[in-house]
Amino acid sequence: MTDQGQHGTGADRPIVSCRGLCVDFGAVRVLKGVDAEVAQGRVVGLVGESGSGKSTLAKAIVGMNRISEGELWVEGEEVSRASRAQRHRLYRKVQYVPQDPYSSLNPRRTIGQTLAEAVDPVDGTPRRHAERIAEVLETMWLEPSDARKYPHEFSGGQRQRIAIARALLVDPALIVADEITSALDVSVQAEVIRLLQELKTGGNYSMLFITHNLAVAQEVCDDVIVMLHGEIVESGPIAQVFRNPATEYTQKLLDSVPGGPGFSL
């Protein structure tokens, strides 16, 4: 990662970048000097085995994990140097979609109320933002009338699409999707993947897509970052990395995918 990538303008500046990023949990250093970035309009897969540091990095980027050392930049602004108000604004530009959306949806609020609050946290009423809510629900293959329903009235896949809708309504610079397909059965997982591919075709959003499933990463990502023990061991365009892995660890991950090395490449 270069200074130009952090301080440039327009297309030459990453949406989000980090340099030397470290996260400590007590006396244990979990992230160890991570350099990474997500460019405008790119979907970057973050892959590795459980415990490799994927979710720790994701939560550091969205402000859920405290950064111990290093720099985090959002649209050219360094978060650590920002005021409290500025940090709030910057972190709002980076929206987190969790693995289990049900736990993040208030069971006592309708989906319309939840989505309206995402549009305007101060004065978010479903009636005021009905048109925009209806539009994003249709983008997620849901009905505008679904705004009147409660979270328990939806399937797991539908709730995941609602969580994505909530993130999109904020007009984020980056969506951080943390294992959003891992808890879904195969058919519903395929449905969410098709939705992500459709959104990607529009080319108007960037995403950090965390997954342990390399086959899923291949379906939705442009680039890939491979993590092991809190460090990045390899990164680059996903087709290049998956066809010609530079490390034994990446090759091991590829070999573990059903179908053998290269799977569907």
Side-chain angles (χ1 to χ4, degrees):
M1 186 165 53
T2 66
D3 285 343
Q4 181 186 21
Q6 293 168 15
H7 301 291
T9 58
D12 68 341
R13 186 177 68 198
I15 290 296
V16 170
S17 61
C18 53
R19 183 173 63 187
L21 203 68
C22 299
V23 171
D24 298 337
F25 291 160
V28 179
R29 175 143 292 183
V30 180
L31 284 190
K32 306 166 185 175
V34 169
D35 293 352
E37 63 182 40
V38 181
Q40 173 68 47
R42 303 290 283 183
V43 180
V44 178
L46 186 58
V47 305
E49 296 172 310
S50 296
S52 61
K54 304 186 302 295
S55 290
T56 301
L57 176 57
K59 291 178 180 179
I61 290 173
V62 300
M64 296 170 67
N65 281 338
R66 181 179 175 275
I67 296 170
S68 304
E69 292 181 22
E71 300 173 351
L72 173 65
W73 299 75
V74 177
E75 293 195 319
E77 297 184 67
E78 189 183 353
V79 173
S80 63
R81 295 181 182 178
S83 67
R84 183 175 179 179
Q86 289 171 325
R87 283 198 301 273
H88 178 76
R89 174 178 57 80
L90 291 173
Y91 278 132
R92 185 166 164 79
K93 290 176 176 287
V94 184
Q95 289 294 304
Y96 182 73
V97 180
Q99 177 179 341
D100 176 19
Y102 190 70
S103 64
S104 66
L105 296 173
N106 189 329
R108 298 184 178 182
R109 296 174 69 83
T110 66
I111 295 306
Q113 289 173 316
T114 294
L115 296 181
E117 188 177 63
V119 178
D120 186 348
V122 177
D123 187 18
T125 60
R127 180 176 296 180
R128 182 174 182 179
H129 302 290
E131 185 175 341
R132 193 170 178 195
I133 290 170
E135 181 181 344
V136 77
L137 285 174
E138 289 177 333
T139 300
M140 295 296 110
W141 307 340
L142 295 165
E143 298 295 328
S145 59
D146 287 333
R148 296 191 293 271
K149 297 179 181 178
Y150 290 85
H152 72 270
E153 298 180 73
F154 296 92
S155 68
Q158 288 173 325
R159 286 196 292 265
Q160 196 58 275
R161 302 205 306 268
I162 291 165
I164 297 170
R166 179 173 56 184
L168 289 173
L169 279 169
V170 181
D171 292 327
L174 177 73
I175 295 174
V176 177
D178 194 356
E179 296 278 10
I180 63 172
T181 62
S182 64
L184 306 175
D185 63 39
V186 174
S187 62
V188 179
Q189 184 180 98
E191 179 182 274
V192 173
I193 290 170
R194 286 198 303 272
L195 172 63
L196 293 175
Q197 289 172 325
E198 185 175 292
L199 292 173
K200 178 181 171 182
T201 302
N204 58 353
Y205 80 106
S206 304
M207 177 179 284
L208 184 64
F209 186 84
I210 296 90
T211 182
H212 64 274
N213 189 322
L214 273 65
V216 171
Q218 180 189 277
E219 291 291 327
V220 300
C221 299
D222 303 300
D223 307 301
V224 66
I225 295 169
V226 183
M227 291 195 71
L228 173 66
H229 301 322
E231 299 179 294
I232 292 175
V233 297
E234 186 169 0
S235 64
I238 196 163
Q240 175 185 312
V241 171
F242 281 11
R243 287 194 177 99
N244 299 292
T247 68
E248 291 184 6
Y249 177 65
T250 304
Q251 186 63 62
K252 173 187 171 184
L253 293 177
L254 289 165
D255 290 344
S256 69
V257 177
F263 45 106
S264 62
L265 286 173

